[in-house]
C-alpha cells in the first residue's frame, strides 16, 4: 500500500479502526520483514509496517539523517491518520523512534525499542570508523548488496535461527538499494539521545538478544535503567534479528508488553 501523498509504501493487517501498531525495520530490512508480526497482531491491532524512506516503494529523502527520518515518521503517522500509535522500532528504527519521541513526547501510547541503542558514539571515534569501513568497504571494492546479503545476515544472527526467517532476512538485505544502505550507515554516526532517555514518560519495552553484537544486551539493560517506565526483556541465544530468528519468542515478549499496556491505558 502507498500513503495518499505517494511518499511511503507499507504493509498492514487488521481493522483500520483499531489501535495502530507500527513496526519500523532496520538498515538491512523492509516492511516485509514484519509479515509474521502483522499476522500475529493484526487480530487485535491495526498492524502496520513501513518501508523506510529509500526502501521498497518509499521515496528516498533528499538528505538522510536520523532527524530527517524522524520527521518522515511523523509525516507517515499523519498520512495514516494514526492516533496514539504504539511504535516498535528495530535497530535504526528504534533510533528513529527515540528521536521522534523528543519532538512528539505524548503522541504515542507506548514504544518498543528492539535491539537498538541510544547512541552511536562520536563521528571521529575509531570504533565507529572501523564499523563503517567493515560495512561499506566491500561495496567500495565492487561487491553488491545481493552478493553480500548471505554473509551480512550470517554475521547478525545468534544460535539456531529459524530457516524461513533467515531466507526473508537475506531477501530483504539483498534488495536494499546500495545508496540507501550507504546513507543509513552514515546517518548512524554521532547519533546520541542518551540525555533524553529520562524524558520518555510512556510505557517502554527494551528488547534485546543475548547474542546481539550490534546492540549488546548489557548496554540495553543499562539503557532501560535511564527510562522511568521501562521494562527490559532479553531473548536467550538470539542475535540482532530477533523477529526473524525467533519469531515466536519475539511475538510472545511483544504480546506480553502489549497486554500490560492495555491494562494501564
Amino acid at each position: 500500500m502507498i500513503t495518499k501523498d505517494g511518499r511511503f509504501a507499507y504493509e498492514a493487517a487488521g481493522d483500520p479502526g483499531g489501535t495502530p501498531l507500527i513496526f519500523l525495520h532496520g538498515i538491512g530490512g523492509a516492511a516485509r520483514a514484519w509479515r509474521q508480526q502483522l499476522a500475529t497482531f493484526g487480530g487485535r491491532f491495526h498492524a502496520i509496517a513501513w518501508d523506510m524512506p529509500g526502501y521498497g516503494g518509499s521515496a528516498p529523502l533528499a538528505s538522510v539523517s536520523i532527524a530527517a527520518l524522524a520527521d518522515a515518521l511523523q509525516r507517515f503517522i499523519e498520512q495514516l491518520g494514526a492516533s496514539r500509535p504504539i511504535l516498535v522500532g528495530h535497530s535504526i528504527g528504534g533510533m528513529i523512534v527515540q528521536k521522534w519521541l523528543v519532538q512528539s513526547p505524548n503522541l504515542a501510547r507506548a514504544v518498543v525499542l528492539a535491539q537498538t541503542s541510544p547512541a552511536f558514539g562520536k563521528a571521529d571515534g575509531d570504533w565507529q570508523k572501523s564499523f563503517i569501513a567493515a560495512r561499506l568497504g566491500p561495496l567500495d571494492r565492487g561487491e553488491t548488496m545481493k552478493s553480500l546479503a548471505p554473509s551480512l545476515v550470517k554475521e547478525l544472527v545468534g544460535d539456531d535461527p529459524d530457516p524461513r526467517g533467515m531466507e526473508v532476512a537475506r531477501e530483504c538485505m539483498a534488495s536494499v538499494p546500495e545508496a540507501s544502505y550507504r546513507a543509513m550507515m552514515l546517518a548512524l554516526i554521532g547519533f546520541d539521545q542518551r540525555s533524553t532517555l529520562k524524558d520518555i514518560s510512556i510505557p517502554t519495552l527494551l528488547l534485546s538478544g543475548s547474542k546481539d553484537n550490534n546492540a549488546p544486551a548489557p548496554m540495553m539493560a543499562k539503557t532501560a535503567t535511564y527510562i522511568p517506565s521501562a521494562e527490559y526483556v532479553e531473548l536467550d541465544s538470539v542475535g540482532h534479528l530477533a523477529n526473524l530468528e525467533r519469531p515466536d519468542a519475539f511475538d510472545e515478549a511483544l504480546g506480553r508488553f502489549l497486554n500490560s499496556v492495555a491494562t494501564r491505558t
Side-chain angles (χ1 to χ4, degrees):
M1 290 183 264
I2 304 277
T3 50
K4 292 187 288 291
D5 63 0
R7 276 180 58 180
F8 303 103
Y10 65 100
E11 298 191 7
D15 177 5
T19 298
L21 176 62
I22 301 176
F23 294 91
L24 296 93
H25 63 81
I27 286 182
R32 61 183 166 164
W34 297 107
R35 280 179 185 166
Q36 164 145 342
Q37 284 68 46
L38 297 186
T40 300
F41 296 103
R44 283 177 55 202
F45 297 90
H46 184 209
I48 300 150
W50 81 337
D51 276 320
M52 253 196 308
Y55 287 65
S58 292
L61 297 171
S63 174
V64 178
S65 65
I66 303 288
L69 289 160
D71 291 342
L73 172 60
Q74 178 59 26
R75 171 89 183 233
F76 178 63
I77 290 168
E78 288 166 2
Q79 283 286 305
L80 294 173
S83 71
R84 301 215 53 226
I86 298 169
L87 301 179
V88 180
H90 172 250
S91 200
I92 200 175
M95 294 177 174
I96 295 167
V97 168
Q98 290 173 68
K99 189 62 131 177
W100 177 84
L101 281 170
V102 176
Q103 64 202 39
S104 310
N106 303 310
L107 283 186
R109 198 174 303 242
V111 294
V112 179
L113 303 176
Q115 308 186 281
T116 189
S117 167
F120 195 81
K122 304 180 292 295
D124 55 355
D126 288 342
W127 185 87
Q128 286 73 25
K129 281 181 178 163
S130 61
F131 177 90
I132 298 295
R135 295 298 188 277
L136 300 186
L139 293 170
D140 294 338
R141 295 189 291 273
E143 295 270 9
T144 64
M145 290 305 296
K146 192 172 182 184
S147 69
L148 289 171
S151 61
L152 285 174
V153 168
K154 194 173 180 201
E155 283 166 25
L156 290 173
V157 300
D159 303 334
D160 196 27
D162 177 77
R164 280 171 309 182
M166 292 307 88
E167 204 172 307
V168 173
R170 288 189 293 268
E171 283 172 13
C172 289
M173 187 73 80
S175 65
V176 177
E178 183 181 323
S180 297
Y181 187 80
R182 286 178 178 275
M184 293 293 169
M185 278 290 170
L186 295 173
L188 293 174
I189 295 179
F191 174 76
D192 192 345
Q193 289 302 138
R194 285 174 296 191
S195 65
T196 59
L197 294 173
K198 67 183 185 314
D199 303 322
I200 299 176
S201 58
I202 53 176
T204 304
L205 172 65
L206 278 86
L207 189 60
S208 75
S210 70
K211 295 280 180 86
D212 187 345
N213 298 321
N214 283 27
M219 177 275 297
M220 288 207 69
K222 187 180 174 188
T223 301
T225 67
Y226 294 107
I227 300 174
S229 49
E231 292 174 42
Y232 173 73
V233 173
E234 188 174 313
L235 300 177
D236 191 41
S237 302
V238 170
H240 192 57
L241 305 177
N243 69 300
L244 295 169
E245 293 179 55
R246 301 282 172 93
D248 295 341
F250 181 92
D251 290 358
E252 187 190 351
L254 177 54
R256 277 199 308 270
F257 175 68
L258 295 173
N259 288 338
S260 77
V261 169
T263 59
R264 274 182 277 183
T265 51

